[in-house]
Amino acid sequence: DVKVTQSSRYLVKRTGEKVFLECVQDMDHENMFWYRQDPGLGLRLIYFSYDVKMKEKGDIPEGYSVSREKKERFSLILESASTNQTSMYLCASRSGRGGNEQFFGPGTRLTVL
Amino acid sequence: KNQVEQSPQSLIILEGKNCTLQCNYTVSPFSNLRWYKQDTGRGPVSLTIMTFSENTKSNGRYTATLDADTKQSSLHITASQLSDSASYICVSRGSASAGNMLTFGGGTRLMVKP
C-alpha cells in the first residue's frame, strides 16, 4: 500500500510564527504536491515538485515556500503564519512513471491564532 | 477558466437508500475524471477514474457515469451504509498539452443516518 504521512494531524500556531509541515511518502514517487482545503473552495494547489530540489508554484503560492531535499520528503513552510492560513493542508504524491492517481496523506489541520 | 462544479453541496439520506451526486466540468482539453471519497479528518481516497471514452464504471456499490459531450459526471451510491458518510470530490484532469493539471470540485458532503 502507498503510504503518505504528515508530521502532525493538528497544529496550533501564533501569528508571525514560522511553521513547518512535513510530508513523507514511501513509494519512491517522483511527484509530490501540497494543497490547502477550505470549506466551499475545494482543494487548491500551493506548490508541487517533480524531482529532488525542484519546485513549481501552484495556484496559491503566496505566503508559502517548499523544500525537497530528499525524494521521499516534501516540506511546506509558512515563513510568517497569518490567520488567513488557518486551513486543512493535504500532501499528495504520484508516480512520475506514467502514474495517474495522486495518493493523499491524512492532512494537517492548522490553526493560526 | 477550468472549473468543476458539484451538487448538491450537502445531502442527508437514510441508511439503505440510494443517492446520486452530480459533477459538471469545463476542463478542456480533458483527459480523465476521478471521484474521491474523503472521510472526516482524512485525506481523499480514489473511488473511480474514467477517461472520455468510458461511460460508466463501478466500484462495489459506487457507480460513476460520464457524458463527455455534456461534460457531466455522476456518482451513484446504492443501498447506502453509515460508512458512506463522507465528502465526495470530483476531480478533472487536463490533457498533457494542458499540463496534466487537476481541477477539484468543492465536494458534496453526504450524511447517512440510521
Side-chain angles (χ1 to χ4, degrees):
Chain A
D1 276 353
V2 174
K3 196 163 186 182
V4 180
T5 57
Q6 295 183 226
S7 50
S8 305
R9 295 299 301 274
Y10 300 93
L11 209 53
V12 179
K13 296 291 182 180
R14 296 205 174 275
T15 301
E17 279 193 79
K18 190 169 186 176
V19 183
F20 292 88
L21 302 183
E22 303 282 341
C23 174
V24 178
Q25 50 92 7
D26 65 357
M27 283 303 293
D28 200 36
H29 284 173
E30 288 78 11
N31 304 328
M32 296 188 75
F33 307 82
W34 273 107
Y35 296 90
R36 63 177 284 176
Q37 184 178 32
D38 300 289
L41 295 178
L43 276 75
R44 292 180 291 167
L45 181 64
I46 305 171
Y47 266 98
F48 60 101
S49 169
Y50 286 145
D51 203 348
V52 176
K53 296 190 184 295
M54 180 272 175
K55 60 186 178 184
E56 292 282 348
K57 292 180 180 179
D59 298 321
I60 51 165
E62 297 78 18
Y64 304 94
S65 62
V66 290
S67 172
R68 189 142 182 227
E69 295 297 318
K70 294 185 177 181
K71 190 176 186 180
E72 67 270 18
R73 188 180 299 270
F74 192 33
S75 302
L76 180 69
I77 303 155
L78 287 67
E79 293 289 341
S80 178
S82 62
T83 55
N84 62 14
Q85 292 179 310
T86 292
S87 185
M88 168 72 91
Y89 289 88
L90 289 164
C91 174
S93 75
R94 185 186 76 199
S95 172
R97 294 182 289 276
N100 192 295
E101 181 179 354
Q102 289 192 14
F103 295 87
F104 287 86
T108 295
R109 184 164 292 283
L110 172 68
T111 301
V112 182
L113 302 175
Chain B
K1 181 183 176 184
N2 290 334
Q3 285 187 311
V4 175
E5 305 265 351
Q6 291 187 244
S7 62
Q9 282 192 335
S10 62
L11 184 62
I12 301 174
I13 62 173
L14 293 176
E15 187 179 11
K17 298 295 186 183
N18 304 334
C19 68
T20 300
L21 315 180
Q22 301 290 345
C23 172
N24 296 338
Y25 63 94
T26 62
V27 174
S28 182
F30 169 80
S31 176
N32 61 55
L33 186 140
R34 189 184 294 271
W35 283 92
Y36 280 93
K37 179 187 179 188
Q38 184 177 19
D39 292 314
T40 300
R42 296 189 176 275
V45 175
S46 179
L47 289 174
T48 66
I49 179 173
M50 288 180 293
T51 65
F52 65 89
S53 61
E54 296 176 294
N55 298 120
T56 185
K57 185 167 282 189
S58 292
N59 177 1
R61 294 179 297 102
Y62 300 102
T63 300
T65 65
L66 176 66
D67 185 333
D69 291 330
T70 61
K71 298 188 187 298
Q72 294 179 327
S73 177
S74 66
L75 181 69
H76 185 76
I77 304 174
T78 304
S80 61
Q81 300 176 359
L82 299 179
S83 59
D84 292 331
S85 295
S87 288
Y88 292 84
I89 302 171
C90 174
V91 185
S92 181
R93 179 172 176 166
S95 67
S97 62
N100 290 317
M101 298 311 292
L102 300 182
T103 303
F104 290 80
T108 293
R109 184 177 294 276
L110 174 66
M111 183 179 296
V112 180
K113 290 194 167 183

